[in-house]
Amino acid sequence: MMQRYIKECRTYMPLRKKEKMATMIGMIFFILFIAGLVLGIYFLGFAGIFELLGVQYHSIWSLFVFAVCFFMAGFIIELFSKPIFERSTRNVSGKIKLVFIQICFESVSNWLVLFTVDEFMQKINLSSKTELLIALFVSVFEIILENNNDDDGNKKNPI
């Protein structure tokens, strides 16, 4: 009886090649959709910030390249800045101190990314004051949107 059940399960369980391929293509499109959504938010955010601050750029394409480069470089810098922040604030008490330190860390890392991307791109020129304002704005925005709870239900960031 048990062997017959195992045989029946084996005949129904494996996916056919077409179903596997459709699953893989679906997953790839989903990942591309999410990445496009995140990059679109960065693109529209930079377009809005640049419009408010009066930053001139040559074309929409240069703004898109700027947003993509900022996103990729920011990801790399964040791999290093987050652990440094967590290690350096492990014994800090006081919510206001923690918020101030977190904003400082995020602002410095975002400014570093902005400065680097701005130096490599010829079609967008940002002044130092504009870079600092954008870095501060982006860092506060990222802190607000960050998830406040980690897996244990403990507070992860102070805001």
Side-chain angles (χ1 to χ4, degrees):
M1 178 90 162
M2 185 65 145
Q3 289 176 344
R4 192 176 103 203
Y5 177 73
I6 292 173
K7 276 185 178 179
E8 288 178 13
C9 287
R10 284 186 185 159
T11 59
Y12 293 115
M13 286 182 101
L15 292 174
R16 292 178 299 213
K17 283 187 178 182
K18 288 182 182 178
E19 291 172 339
K20 287 182 182 180
M21 194 64 107
T23 303
M24 290 298 290
I25 290 171
M27 290 174 62
I28 289 170
F29 277 131
F30 180 71
I31 290 169
L32 289 175
F33 174 75
I34 297 300
L37 189 66
V38 170
L39 285 174
I41 290 171
Y42 269 92
F43 172 74
L44 292 175
F46 276 121
I49 291 173
F50 285 0
E51 186 69 29
L52 288 174
L53 296 176
V55 175
Q56 299 293 320
Y57 49 90
H58 286 31
S59 66
I60 296 294
W61 180 249
S62 62
L63 181 64
F64 179 75
V65 170
F66 185 86
V68 169
C69 290
F70 179 83
F71 178 74
M72 291 189 310
F75 181 76
I76 293 168
I77 294 293
E78 201 166 296
L79 288 175
F80 298 104
S81 69
K82 288 286 185 185
I84 293 171
F85 167 73
E86 289 174 3
R87 296 278 182 177
S88 62
T89 59
R90 194 179 324 171
N91 297 325
V92 174
S93 61
K95 189 175 181 179
I96 295 174
K97 280 185 193 177
L98 205 55
V99 169
F100 179 74
I101 293 170
Q102 185 174 15
I103 288 174
C104 288
F105 263 89
E106 291 282 333
S107 296
V108 168
S109 65
N110 284 331
W111 174 78
L112 180 65
V113 172
L114 273 170
F115 178 78
T116 306
V117 172
D118 182 43
E119 288 301 313
F120 282 111
M121 289 196 65
Q122 301 298 322
K123 305 240 178 184
I124 296 178
N125 293 320
L126 300 173
S127 67
S128 299
K129 182 180 174 184
T130 305
E131 285 177 359
L132 291 173
L133 283 172
I134 292 172
L136 183 63
F137 178 76
V138 169
S139 64
V140 169
F141 189 70
E142 285 178 352
I143 290 170
I144 289 172
L145 290 183
E146 239 177 39
N147 188 6
N148 287 335
N149 294 327
D150 59 7
D151 295 338
D152 302 335
N154 299 327
K155 285 284 195 182
K156 193 164 76 172
N157 74 19
I159 297 179

